[in-house]
Amino acid sequence: MWAASAYTVAAAAAAASLPQHIRRGGFRCRAEAANPNDSRKKVVVIGAGWAGLASAHHLCKQGFDVTIIEAGSFPAEEVSLRGFRSPYRNIFSIIKELDLQPFTNWTSSSLHTSESVEVEFPIFQDLPLLPAPLGVLVYPQFSHLSLADCLTWIPLIAAAIDFDGTDAAWSKYDAMTARELFKQFGCSERLYREVFQPFVEVGLLAPAEQCSAAAVLAMLYYFVLSHQKSFDVVWCRGTVQEKILNPWLDFLKSKGCRFHGNKTTTDFIVNKSTGGVTGVLCGQDVYEADAFVLAVGISTLKSTITSSCALQSKQEFLNVLNLTAVDVVNVKIWLNRKVKIRRESNVCFGYDNSTGWTFFDLNSIFDEYQDEPLTVLEAEFYHANQLLPLKDEQIVARLISYLSRCIKEFQEATVIQQIVSRFPKSATHFFPGSYKYMMKGSTSFQNLFMAGDWIISRHGSCAKEKAVVTGLEAANQVVDYFGVGDFAKIIPVDDDEPHIESLRELNRRLNELRAQTPFSNFFLQ
């Protein structure tokens, strides 16, 4: 690192735009970020999750000088919907390019209800193909639901058809809660309680009455209703960090990318004459570049905004302060005996009033535990604010109590080792009304671009696949900004089946006619 007296004239000019207390104390910069012999355009990517790595991946391939800044010491998996679903085509493409083989085969899963009923979900692509969405409605054995309950699925399909992913559709359905959506479209009480409520609590990590109906429809269509195989999932045969993210970062380093961990972004340096960002400030370190990709979660960005005079000058960033995130608690336990768990992944609900949770049989998923004579299990609690203050032993005791209601054999097992990890405000909360505060991929800073699973995108994907897609979209915006390099080829979601496409076209025409009728905008929508 250089002392302030050794700076170039350009660096001194940048220092003049910093807050006085930082100018007085001096600041430091990485020598390798200012190589005068390197004529390549420099890009700083802030965040080393799925979005940041995807963006850096394409930019490195296009010959840019890329630096990744990460608040942690290494890339880390964002807390989100677990597993890798069939529609994650862009993730699978990158994994193939990296020549990694981290995944299990396609697996089935189970839903454990509050009445101790286990519902099995098959591997849908192994079954005869039915027109969407019949496959996901017919093949799971909801034996505890009556035919009348199951038939109340049908009206909800109309909402899924109407929700076409446009800004108008998001604005329309974002105004109501998920529970209001299911009520409005005639869902039975039992179907809601036994199927949709757990789907929302695990998919969006919060109770249905606290989730946006628009986000539910986006997730419901993407993962369940669009195609029969969309619900199928594979798992990483170890931690995502070890099997995917660390090898991915090593690949990027081999392409010349630099990684700086334990760097918390506190502000940005802005050229007042051009309005562009010239550097990112991490404490007393400054990283200069020609363009920037900000690929962090909501909580991290909110923290940066509260310390950043530059971001506070833009309303789009101030709007982000209205957003929020969900608490997650992860528990990994080793038991003194082998408990037979029929499915690798298990969704559970109804064990308290506001927390959805899942558990995973690591003996079946992780390579390192396949021959283990004991049971190794991992569980995650979502919307877990009421668990955060508890002691580890209390959380583990609650988990064992819940597990015993799912599978009786857990009553006779003893925990011999445990790891409890708390992730406060770590997952995006798509609450009703949140859409208007979310950001697009471009910003009012001409060379600052955004990526993440909460960024507005018309791709149609969700969760970590959306993070990767927005990372590639941000990389494309950098390419477009400089006019250098090729655009990333983003794999689109599968086309709608013909009958769905026809219904959506009919719905669009009806909406156009309705908009032309008198008083169409008079009543509250």
Side-chain angles (χ1 to χ4, degrees), residues 415-466:
V415 177
I416 59 175
Q417 186 178 345
Q418 64 192 40
I419 300 175
V420 178
S421 303
R422 296 166 178 79
F423 302 97
K425 306 302 179 186
S426 57
T428 304
H429 183 196
F430 296 94
F431 61 86
S434 60
Y435 181 75
K436 59 180 174 288
Y437 304 122
M438 294 183 179
M439 297 187 67
K440 297 180 179 179
S442 58
T443 73
S444 53
F445 294 109
Q446 60 187 6
N447 62 339
L448 175 61
F449 308 101
M450 306 295 296
D453 70 349
W454 62 279
I455 298 299
I456 295 174
S457 171
R458 297 296 171 231
H459 182 264
S461 51
C462 295
K464 58 175 69 70
E465 171 77 354
K466 183 182 178 184

Side-chain angles (χ1 to χ4, degrees), residues 14 27 45 83 111 195 242 267 296 307 316 322 441 499:
F27 67 97
V45 177
L111 169 67
V195 178
E242 293 173 346
D267 208 345
V296 298
S307 66
E316 62 200 317
N322 292 298
H499 65 288

Side-chain angles (χ1 to χ4, degrees), residues 318-344:
L318 292 177
N319 288 342
V320 173
L321 298 178
N322 292 298
L323 298 175
T324 187
V326 176
D327 301 323
V328 177
V329 171
N330 179 281
V331 183
K332 186 176 180 180
I333 57 174
W334 286 257
L335 302 174
N336 66 339
R337 54 172 294 173
K338 203 65 172 284
V339 175
K340 184 178 180 180
I341 305 172
R342 296 179 61 186
R343 298 288 181 265
E344 289 88 347

Side-chain angles (χ1 to χ4, degrees), residues 6 81 469:
L81 193 67
V469 166

Side-chain angles (χ1 to χ4, degrees), residues 73-145:
S73 57
F74 45 76
E77 162 84 313
E78 292 101 334
V79 176
S80 64
L81 193 67
R82 295 287 295 267
F84 295 79
R85 305 283 164 175
S86 176
Y88 288 2
R89 300 168 69 188
N90 289 280
I91 288 181
F92 292 139
S93 177
I94 291 175
I95 297 300
K96 182 178 180 180
E97 181 182 342
L98 295 173
D99 197 26
L100 301 177
Q101 296 179 333
F103 299 127
T104 65
N105 295 324
W106 298 107
T107 66
S108 56
S109 57
S110 292
L111 169 67
H112 296 268
T113 76
S114 58
E115 299 178 2
S116 300
V117 175
E118 182 178 0
V119 179
E120 297 181 5
F121 292 89
I123 300 174
F124 289 98
Q125 58 194 283
D126 291 345
L127 298 172
L129 182 63
L130 299 177
L134 293 181
V136 295
L137 303 181
V138 171
Y139 289 130
Q141 298 300 309
F142 294 104
S143 57
H144 60 302
L145 296 177

Side-chain angles (χ1 to χ4, degrees), residues 287-301:
Y287 296 89
E288 297 178 337
D290 302 296
F292 301 82
V293 175
L294 187 50
V296 298
I298 287 173
S299 294
T300 300
L301 181 56

Side-chain angles (χ1 to χ4, degrees), residues 444-496:
S444 53
F445 294 109
Q446 60 187 6
N447 62 339
L448 175 61
F449 308 101
M450 306 295 296
D453 70 349
W454 62 279
I455 298 299
I456 295 174
S457 171
R458 297 296 171 231
H459 182 264
S461 51
C462 295
K464 58 175 69 70
E465 171 77 354
K466 183 182 178 184
V468 166
V469 166
T470 57
L472 295 176
E473 289 176 341
N476 283 346
Q477 290 178 304
V478 172
V479 169
D480 184 59
Y481 175 71
F482 291 122
V484 176
D486 296 324
F487 292 119
K489 295 180 180 179
I490 300 174
I491 304 172
V493 297
D494 287 336
D495 292 336
D496 289 331

Side-chain angles (χ1 to χ4, degrees), residues 334-335 337-338 362-363 366-376 416-417:
W334 286 257
L335 302 174
R337 54 172 294 173
K338 203 65 172 284
L362 297 190
N363 296 95
F366 281 18
D367 291 343
E368 63 179 301
Y369 299 132
Q370 286 187 355
D371 298 325
E372 186 73 41
L374 309 176
T375 297
V376 186
I416 59 175
Q417 186 178 345

